[in-house]
């Protein structure tokens, strides 16, 4: 679904009592009440305790549970249109609802590529008709993702494109990137770039270093990322454009972003949940579900990502949900496709950082709610009264194990198969309507 | 009449016209006054004058141009000169050396006036240094096109009565435009307020240092403008390199009735031609009541007559 176009019967008002209310937009982490009616947050927090309840409200005691804004995932690959056997908008949205993700930003590298206003419109309509969470498509930055000619940023944005990216592809040509950043500035369009020097990365299949040497696999040096990131930062400084590094993975990249922010450049950065919680050792005996781009790095790099999240250098955490099937994954490591699914495990994996006391809950949630909402210009990402009632209820301590059979996503390539987690989403609301546990009354 | 004209011409102190840069406001006004008189000549049945009788004018075009070349040709002929057109296909020219060779060859033919267009900025000046005759720049790369700026000024002055105090919005491909550069210089010299309006990719770096107010939105850039001057966008620049597509360019930067409504109610529309209707300008505007585009063509001949006459005053007898 998208926006407020909803002809179904209105959901019952909802009152969540005795909850640990966490709203990063207000730096709020306190016991309180959340009142939802008419698809909107009426009140949330300690102030809401004792406020009059809407007539006919469902009242839930949430003792021991956290109520937080629904997650906004800025990097989700889907297979629709063109690769529906991997993931449709509907199947992705169901996986999202299970994971507590209430807003998906979909990547444009479908078939056809989302590089025309009519195709943005198509995705929005399909999402409205089939998806159970909000979907905002990102449009291609260059026509056909070829890295050569800029797309119609103005008209695509008018059609509803939320941001611009070539998805998993990098723009090798610096002049193209410079012109794109210059042009995008005119429309206040956000450019999300996957910074990787393709010539340095060419042929590499995992992080360059000792592990690659032992496994006999070609490596991708961290410099492939750092060089491209530094180029991009210089272009952002030159053009004044808004630049978002979609994914960073190594310690020096964090330093580059940190320095750019010190210079007050219009720059932000994301990290995938995988690079916050896994490292190259997890590849073990050539496990292809751990093959991704950028590759998993050293433990020191992972720790640097966590530190960069804690100090605000990294703005957002994404799932980088990338459904692949046996056709693309059941191959020798070097020949397998990159990518891992992640919508259902985004929050549970992020909670590992909280349980290990590396990062507090407010900071982790901010990077998946308030910050992405700010970067994208969305209303959500907060429990402020008047905000859309996109929220999640989770028990941060429930222990569970990810069973492949329980994966909702149409593709099963999770690096967290059989992993133990602590904390699980119990209920997800989008515009005040419960979409998880899946209540079955949607067609 | 003839003596009067020659008096004017004699007060123009330059041997060449290589650009608006270097002209003083009185120089510019001299040419505009001369051009006003040339308009009258061109509107008579007898359009022929004798000030250039016996003189040889060579139009040397390294870049194809139908309208500018024919305008200079007609201007020379109306003043009685023998006019020869030389078109040099740019692909067969090998840069500096050949250009200077060409200059030496032409110089040996003893022309009096050389009208030159070249695809490289600075090429006309280079050539002027090597020949003994007067040289008129008919456009050098993205540098200057002085007779275009003069004809634009003449057109504006005849409609608005003055240049000083006018707000002129120059819109479109500023980055590659010699017309824009010459106009910015001339309009600033005569006291107009100059704005440039373009997508950020089509603005030269630091363009504000040329003495213009810079806008990227047509609505704000056109607000209360007296003159809206549209520039041509080359086809190869509108498919993803500088702007993504024709339809996007037209939507945000093409002049249509809605965008023109932000300018003054009596604002006039200009375009140096040739126009891309539906790219930078709506046909309804291009051919509408507020368009001065056809008149610009008429003023083009008059301004070129004025320039040739002013330069001829310095030719050795």
């Amino acid at each position: 679904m998208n926006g407020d176009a909803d002809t179904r019967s209105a959901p019952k008002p909802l009152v969540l009592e005795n909850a640990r209310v966490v709203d990063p937009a207000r730096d709020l982490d306190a016991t309180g009440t959340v009142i939802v009616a008419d698809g909107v947050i009426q009140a949330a927090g300690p102030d809401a305790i004792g406020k009059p309840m809407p007539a006919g409200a469902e009242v839930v005691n949430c003792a021991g549970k956290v109520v937080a804004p629904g997650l906004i995932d800025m990097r989700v690959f889907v297979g629709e249109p063109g690769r529906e056997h991997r993931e449709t908008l509907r199947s992705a949205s169901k996986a999202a609802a299970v994971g507590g993700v209430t807003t998906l930003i979909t990547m444009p590298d479908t078939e056809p590529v989302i590089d025309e206003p009519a195709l943005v419109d198509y995705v929005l309509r399909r999402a409205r008709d089939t998806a159970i969470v909000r979907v905002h498509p990102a449009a291609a930055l260059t026509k056909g993702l070829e890295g050569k000619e800029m797309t119609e940023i103005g008209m695509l944005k008018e059609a509803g494109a939320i941001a611009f990216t070539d998805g998993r592809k990098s723009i090798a040509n610096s002049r193209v990137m410079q012109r794109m950043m210059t042009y995008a500035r005119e429309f206040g369009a956000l450019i999300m770039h996957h910074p990787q020097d393709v010539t340095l990365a060419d042929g590499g299949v995992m992080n360059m270093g000792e592990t690659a040497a032992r496994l006999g696999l070609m490596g991708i040096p961290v410099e492939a990322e750092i060089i491209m990131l530094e180029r991009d930062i210089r272009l952002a400084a030159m053009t004044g454009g808004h630049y978002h590094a979609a994914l960073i993975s190594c310690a020096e990249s964090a330093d580059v972003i940190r320095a750019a922010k010190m210079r007050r450049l219009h720059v932000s950065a994301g990290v995938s949940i995988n690079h916050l919680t896994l490292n190259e050792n997890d590849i073990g005996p050539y496990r292809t579900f751990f093959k991704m781009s950028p590759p998993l790095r050293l433990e020191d790099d992972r720790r640097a990502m966590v530190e960069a999240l804690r100090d605000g250098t990294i703005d957002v955490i994404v799932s980088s949900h990338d459904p692949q099937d046996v056709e693309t994954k059941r191959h020798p490591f070097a020949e397998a496709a990159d990518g891992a699914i992640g919508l259902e495990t985004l929050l549970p994996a992020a909670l590992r950082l909280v349980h290990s006391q590396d990062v507090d809950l407010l900071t982790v949630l901010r990077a998946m709610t308030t910050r992405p909402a700010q970067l994208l210009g969305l209303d959500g990402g907060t429990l402020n009264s008047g905000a859309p009632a996109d929220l999640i209820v989770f028990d941060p301590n429930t222990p569970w194990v990810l069973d492949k059979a329980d994966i909702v996503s149409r593709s099963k390539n999770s690096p967290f198969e059989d992993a133990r987690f602590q904390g699980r989403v119990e209920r997800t609301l989008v515009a005040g309507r419960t979409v998880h546990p899946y209540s079955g009354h949607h067609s | 009449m003839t003596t009067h004209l020659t008096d004017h011409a004699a007060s123009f102190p330059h041997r060449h016209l290589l650009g608006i840069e270097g002209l003083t406001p009185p120089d510019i006004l001299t040419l505009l006054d001369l051009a006003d008189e040339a308009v009258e000549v061109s509107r008579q049945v007898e359009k022929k004058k004798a000030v250039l009788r016996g003189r040889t004018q060579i139009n040397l075009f390294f870049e194809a141009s139908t309208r500018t070349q024919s305008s200079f040709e007609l201007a020379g002929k109306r003043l009685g000169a023998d006019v020869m057109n030389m078109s040099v296909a740019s692909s067969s020219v090998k840069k500096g050396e050949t250009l200077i060779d060409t200059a030496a060859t032409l110089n040996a033919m003893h022309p009096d006036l050389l009208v030159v267009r070249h695809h490289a900025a600075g090429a006309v000046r280079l050539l002027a240094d090597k020949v003994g005759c007067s040289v008129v720049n008919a456009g050098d790369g993205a540098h200057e096109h002085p007779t275009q700026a003069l004809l634009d000024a003449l057109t504006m002055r005849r409609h608005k009565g003055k240049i000083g105090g006018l707000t002129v919005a120059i819109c479109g491909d500023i980055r590659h435009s010699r017309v824009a550069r010459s106009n910015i210089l001339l309009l600033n010299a005569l006291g107009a307020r100059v704005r440039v309006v373009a997508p950020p990719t089509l603005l030269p770096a630091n363009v504000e240092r040329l003495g213009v107010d810079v806008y990227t939105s047509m609505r704000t850039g056109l607000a209360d403008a007296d003159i809206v001057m549209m520039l041509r966008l080359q086809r190869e620049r509108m498919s993803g390199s500088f702007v993504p597509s024709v339809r996007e360019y037209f939507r945000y930067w093409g002049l249509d009735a809605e965008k023109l409504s932000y300018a003054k109610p009596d604002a006039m529309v200009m375009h140096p031609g040739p126009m891309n209707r539906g790219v930078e300008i709506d046909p309804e505007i291009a051919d509408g009541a507020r368009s001065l585009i056809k008149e610009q063509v008429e003023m083009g001949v008059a301004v070129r007559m004025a320039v040739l006459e002013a330069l001829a005053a310095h030719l050795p007898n």
Side-chain angles (χ1 to χ4, degrees):
Chain A
M1 64 172 284
N2 178 64
D4 301 320
D6 194 341
T7 52
R8 294 170 300 211
S9 62
K12 257 167 67 166
L14 178 65
V15 176
L16 304 167
E17 293 185 322
N18 305 317
R20 178 178 170 193
V21 180
V22 180
D23 185 3
R26 288 180 281 164
D27 282 323
L28 176 71
D29 183 352
T31 302
T33 296
V34 177
I35 304 171
V36 172
D38 305 321
V40 170
I41 308 276
Q42 303 296 324
D47 303 349
I49 297 171
K51 281 205 172 170
M53 289 187 193
E58 175 194 353
V59 181
V60 181
N61 183 357
C62 289
K65 310 280 169 68
V66 173
V67 177
L71 309 184
I72 299 170
D73 190 341
M74 281 178 71
R75 190 171 170 91
V76 177
F77 295 89
V78 288
E80 185 174 356
R83 292 258 185 237
E84 284 83 355
H85 63 286
R86 288 188 194 162
E87 195 83 284
T88 60
L89 289 163
R90 178 166 181 77
S91 66
S93 77
K94 288 167 80 173
V98 169
V101 176
T102 54
T103 300
L104 302 181
I105 311 305
T106 56
M107 295 295 103
D109 59 345
T110 46
E111 291 176 27
V113 169
I114 309 302
D115 60 1
E116 286 265 345
L119 293 168
V120 171
D121 191 58
Y122 169 81
V123 173
L124 287 171
R125 283 166 188 271
R126 284 294 292 170
R128 181 195 64 196
D129 294 345
T130 67
I132 60 170
V133 303
R134 296 179 200 271
V135 173
H136 294 282
L141 200 47
T142 64
K143 292 173 187 168
L145 306 178
E146 288 178 353
K148 292 175 189 157
E149 297 173 342
M150 65 171 84
T151 52
E152 294 162 313
I153 288 184
M155 294 171 74
L156 287 163
K157 194 157 188 266
E158 277 190 45
I162 191 88
F164 296 83
T165 180
D166 273 5
R168 63 191 92 223
K169 284 188 148 186
S170 296
I171 312 277
N173 186 318
S174 303
R175 173 182 273 186
V176 169
M177 192 62 172
Q178 179 228 326
R179 295 234 178 99
M180 296 286 329
M181 284 193 194
T182 304
Y183 189 79
R185 194 185 64 203
E186 175 62 17
F187 296 97
L190 175 67
I191 289 180
M192 308 194 295
H193 190 225
H194 176 37
Q196 177 160 284
D197 183 315
V198 289
T199 55
L200 268 181
D202 188 35
V205 298
M206 70 169 291
N207 184 44
M208 182 178 275
E210 182 188 335
T211 308
R214 287 182 189 281
L215 290 172
L217 293 171
M218 295 303 112
I220 299 172
V222 290
E223 284 77 8
E225 177 173 306
I226 300 161
I227 287 172
M228 191 54 96
L229 192 62
E230 288 190 322
R231 179 204 72 171
D232 286 352
I233 301 292
R234 284 185 188 277
L235 291 177
M238 176 186 179
T239 60
H242 184 181
Y243 172 80
H244 177 75
L247 296 175
I248 62 171
S249 66
C250 63
E252 272 196 69
S253 291
D255 294 340
V256 172
I257 296 289
R258 203 172 277 124
K261 288 188 168 185
M262 293 280 280
R263 292 172 62 197
R264 300 189 177 283
L265 298 177
H266 204 186
V267 162
S268 53
V271 66
S272 90
I273 188 64
N274 304 313
H275 293 90
L276 282 170
T277 55
L278 305 171
N279 66 35
E280 64 170 19
N281 296 327
D282 289 302
I283 291 169
Y286 304 97
R287 294 196 290 178
T288 62
F289 286 3
F290 294 82
K291 186 181 182 200
M292 52 193 73
S293 176
L296 292 172
R297 303 287 189 187
L298 301 174
E299 175 61 9
D300 283 350
D301 291 309
R302 187 195 73 80
R303 295 210 64 82
M305 293 298 97
V306 174
E307 176 55 30
L309 172 67
R310 186 166 47 210
D311 73 11
T313 299
I314 286 176
D315 297 85
V316 299
I317 305 171
V318 297
S319 71
S320 203
H321 180 83
D322 190 352
Q324 300 287 338
D325 55 22
V326 291
E327 294 291 313
T328 53
K329 276 293 189 186
R330 196 168 292 165
H331 289 291
F333 192 87
E335 292 161 24
D338 289 322
I341 60 167
L343 282 167
E344 292 160 71
T345 48
L346 176 61
L347 180 67
L351 288 174
R352 286 181 170 180
L353 304 175
V354 178
H355 294 307
S356 64
Q357 298 188 324
D358 284 315
V359 189
D360 64 29
L361 183 61
L362 205 51
T363 301
V364 164
L365 287 174
R366 179 178 290 113
M368 296 186 285
T369 57
T370 312
R371 276 307 282 154
Q374 286 166 344
L375 291 175
L376 297 165
L378 296 172
D379 306 336
T382 173
L383 297 176
N384 262 321
S385 42
D390 299 356
L391 60 83
I392 52 177
V393 181
F394 64 94
D395 182 332
N397 296 312
T398 312
W400 63 289
V401 176
L402 180 70
D403 184 339
K404 185 175 181 176
D406 294 336
I407 291 175
V408 173
S409 172
R410 195 167 277 189
S411 291
K412 312 298 177 191
N413 55 309
S414 172
F416 295 106
E417 189 180 330
D418 297 328
R420 290 152 201 249
F421 290 115
Q422 198 180 338
R424 191 171 199 175
V425 176
E426 296 181 0
R427 188 164 181 171
T428 305
L429 270 72
V430 175
R433 184 178 301 276
T434 299
V435 294
H436 167 73
Y438 184 57
S439 44
H441 61 255
H442 308 307
S443 57
Chain B
M1 182 102 181
T2 307
T3 44
H4 181 59
L5 267 176
T6 311
D7 286 348
H8 267 301
S11 66
F12 186 77
H14 305 278
R15 186 161 79 99
H16 304 301
L17 179 68
L18 299 179
I20 299 297
E21 188 168 25
L23 298 187
T24 62
D27 293 341
I28 294 165
L29 293 172
T30 297
L31 292 174
L32 295 183
D33 292 345
L34 264 172
D36 265 330
E37 291 164 28
V39 172
E40 300 310 314
V41 174
S42 289
R43 285 178 179 176
Q44 291 164 12
V45 177
E46 171 58 59
K47 298 180 177 65
K48 198 92 171 173
K49 292 181 59 187
V51 284
L52 293 186
R53 190 163 62 200
R55 301 291 188 187
T56 301
Q57 173 189 336
I58 298 179
N59 296 335
L60 179 60
F61 278 63
F62 291 87
E63 202 180 64
S65 159
T66 313
R67 56 176 63 213
T68 306
Q69 183 168 315
S70 55
S71 182
F72 270 109
E73 181 177 354
L74 211 49
K77 284 179 171 166
R78 283 183 183 167
L79 295 176
D82 294 316
V83 184
M84 187 184 93
N85 290 319
M86 277 184 68
S87 292
V88 188
S90 53
S91 58
S92 70
V93 177
K94 282 185 184 168
K95 297 177 184 168
E97 195 183 13
T98 312
L99 178 65
I100 289 165
D101 286 347
T102 309
T105 308
L106 286 173
N107 205 35
M109 298 178 191
H110 297 292
D112 300 288
L113 292 151
L114 199 53
V115 177
V116 185
R117 168 167 291 187
H118 198 280
H119 47 85
V124 179
R125 175 175 296 276
L126 181 64
L127 201 137
D129 290 342
K130 305 291 174 191
V131 296
C133 63
S134 287
V135 174
V136 180
N137 182 359
D140 63 323
H143 177 223
E144 279 230 49
H145 189 1
T147 58
Q148 179 70 45
L150 288 163
L151 77 87
D152 290 338
L154 181 65
T155 311
M156 283 180 221
R157 193 172 75 164
R158 288 169 69 94
H159 274 271
K160 298 289 182 188
K162 56 175 182 162
I163 303 289
L166 292 180
T167 298
V168 181
I170 307 175
C171 312
D173 188 359
I174 310 292
R175 182 189 181 107
H176 302 98
S177 176
R178 52 190 170 222
V179 175
R181 281 171 181 73
S182 286
N183 261 299
I184 290 167
L185 290 165
L186 188 152
L187 293 167
N188 272 326
L190 296 191
R193 275 191 77 92
V194 187
R195 298 174 180 175
V196 294
V197 190
T201 42
L202 291 177
L203 289 167
N206 300 114
V207 64
E208 71 284 353
R209 301 295 293 272
L210 304 187
V212 295
D213 295 323
V214 183
Y215 295 85
T216 51
S217 149
M218 289 288 275
R219 282 173 191 88
T220 51
L222 263 52
D224 298 318
D226 296 286
I227 299 286
V228 180
M229 185 185 293
M230 301 307 298
L231 299 175
R232 176 181 171 81
L233 182 65
Q234 303 275 15
R235 199 152 280 282
E236 66 268 21
R237 295 182 184 133
M238 50 176 117
S239 60
S241 54
F242 291 90
V243 291
S245 66
V246 168
R247 64 181 183 182
E248 174 140 325
Y249 187 73
F250 184 72
R251 183 179 185 88
Y252 300 108
W253 292 281
L255 186 65
D256 55 16
E258 195 267 333
K259 295 190 193 90
L260 184 56
S261 72
Y262 289 86
K264 281 191 182 154
D266 62 347
M268 303 301 278
V269 176
M270 302 176 70
H271 192 299
M275 278 182 282
N276 289 310
R277 288 186 176 80
V279 178
E280 68 261 359
I281 192 163
D282 191 316
E284 209 177 299
I285 303 295
D287 307 317
R290 291 161 75 178
S291 168
L292 298 176
I293 297 169
K294 286 200 188 75
E295 192 173 329
Q296 284 173 274
V297 178
E298 183 190 359
M299 294 307 122
V301 178
V303 151
R304 283 155 191 145
M305 287 171 73
V307 168
L308 293 171
E309 188 171 347
L311 295 180
H314 298 284
L315 289 175
N317 281 310

